[in-house]
Amino acid sequence: MSGAALGLEIVFVFFLALFLLHRYGDFKKQHRLVIIATLLAWYLCFLIVFILPLDVSTTIYNRCKLAVNSSPAESNGSYVTLAPSKQKCFKPWSYIPDGIMPIFWRVVYWTSQFLTWILLPFMQSYARSGGFSITGKIKTALIENAIYYGTYLLIFGAFLIYVAVNPNFNLQWNQLQTIGIAAANTWGLFLLVLLLGYGLVEIPRSHWNGAKRGYLLMKTYFKAAKLMTEKADAEENLEDIMEEVRKVSESIKYNHPLRKCVDTILKKCPTEYQERMGRNMDDYEDFDERQNSYPSEKSLAKLHKQVIYSVQRHRRTQVQWQILLEQAFYLEDVAKNESSATRQFVHTFHSQEPENKIIQYFYTPTVEWYWECLLRPWFYRVLAVVLATFSVIVVWSECTFFSTEPVLSLFAVFIQLAEKTYNYIYIEMACFLTIFFLSICVYSTVFRIRVFNYYYLASHHQTDAYSLLFSGMLFCRLTPPLCLNFLGLTHMDATISHKNTQPTAYTSIMGSMRVLSFIADGFYIYYPMLVVILCIATYFSLGTRCLNLLGFQQFMGDSEMTSDLIDEGKELIRRGK
């Protein structure tokens, strides 16, 4: 089984990342390079999360071997000899041979850093560019990223000059590498705590509210009112852009040098608009340079960019509206069927897609009634309590993981108890559940947040290329500090445990953070405590209330504006029937 677990997880994580990307991206319409770059970024980040527990169990086994095979006199101070177990060190089923993990982590880490700091920002600008050729898009992307890259080069250059002229510093290449890693992890940890504080509260609360049928239905009505406003705005914006395209198409005739650019723009327009513009064109009329002032290629590129954005937004709101209608109809059906005497679920509208015969055989109307009207609310309540318990343990451990005598972090206590008996299955399961829960809290927040219309991950293949690439950047920047934070919570990081024991392979490629003691002994330890304040702010919905005061309507039960939007959404759903 040596290395088999690693191979299985590599394959499994690849299909998991592919499944999620298929849900949010559109393989048919989006550029292949965008799909490949996003898939690689998501895949590497998920891979780190799934492989790290194997690294922990392998490290514990290696420590056991070192303790059994060496004596205090033979240790030479390299490692502290642990108390040998009375029984032999049993090799874990998922043991990874020496030398594989350091190479694996080095390749995964530096590839993800190359993606997040160099390739993905460039591809974002490339994807949003309205250029008509590959060269034009590359030129636009380089210009947009010149300030971005120049700022980092300026800071790095100033630091190198300072180190060169200061005689007190004698940094080697590996120390400079560690400083670069520490800088990237510090930026990621800053954002990580913000997202983690939100997810630790919002995930259990959303599952608890998921058991309230009336709550879900009211929130769906609220979403319907907001989405209808956005949908109307998207339609109006598309009409304005199409009118501008029509004018450009009529002014630039078939033998104009820029006609190819106009044809490219027309191909991006919806089919009905293409047919409408085609009927109004006179292809046999020559252009006259002295007759009119024609738009430049730069202005056409800007129009091309606006067309891509408006068409994508219009299509997304149309699909989301249909999905929201189906969701509202189903929630209304659940509310009606709760008082059914026959205990059989009756749908107002049946799904247009043919159902799987196997599912239809087992998931009968009676089974559906018991699940939707009776069991599902209790299942969500129990799940919410379990998730809330995990959140409390995480918050407690984040505030106490710096304490090594006594050990207060509950995750460190669990791992150390299992380490004494070398129960590798328990160690790997405990590590996996811990880091998986932390990842869910952070990653789900990345999927939920929306920055106006610039960044928005929409399911059902409605996410644009810019948002997909931006999510890949966020994942690559958040995952390394997330893993270091997990190793700190479990005291597997020597920087936290202050023990000179054999480090994990993941920690070893990060280098010794003692080069920057103010970060290792200060920021990394005390900054995560802010998660308490963020959890309290999220629990009392302070962010939601602030956005509501600024005019961004949010769902709040005690708000008059929310009540008005709920009534409006209810009427829209009634019309939709």
Side-chain angles (χ1 to χ4, degrees), residues 512-527:
S512 176
M513 295 303 172
R514 296 298 175 190
V515 178
L516 300 173
S517 58
F518 67 95
I519 292 180
D521 298 329
F523 185 79
Y524 280 179
I525 293 177
Y526 298 108
Y527 178 71

Side-chain angles (χ1 to χ4, degrees), residues 233-251 262 264-278 280-281 302-315:
D233 183 60
E235 291 173 352
E236 183 179 352
N237 178 258
L238 182 65
E239 286 287 347
D240 294 340
I241 297 297
M242 291 299 103
E243 178 62 22
E244 192 171 346
V245 171
R246 184 190 64 78
K247 292 178 181 179
V248 170
S249 178
E250 290 179 354
S251 64
V262 176
T264 302
I265 295 175
L266 289 174
K267 290 179 182 178
K268 303 293 176 62
C269 298
T271 307
E272 60 269 21
Y273 288 98
Q274 292 184 32
E275 295 174 352
R276 192 186 308 170
M277 294 176 194
N280 296 333
M281 280 185 56
K302 183 179 179 181
L303 179 61
H304 186 205
K305 182 177 179 180
Q306 291 175 339
V307 167
I308 295 173
Y309 169 75
S310 60
V311 171
Q312 167 69 26
R313 185 186 175 200
H314 178 262
R315 185 189 306 119

Side-chain angles (χ1 to χ4, degrees), residues 471-489:
S471 68
M473 287 173 54
L474 285 179
F475 285 156
C476 289
R477 295 182 188 184
L478 290 169
T479 304
L482 172 67
C483 294
L484 285 178
N485 182 252
F486 158 76
L487 293 174
L489 293 176

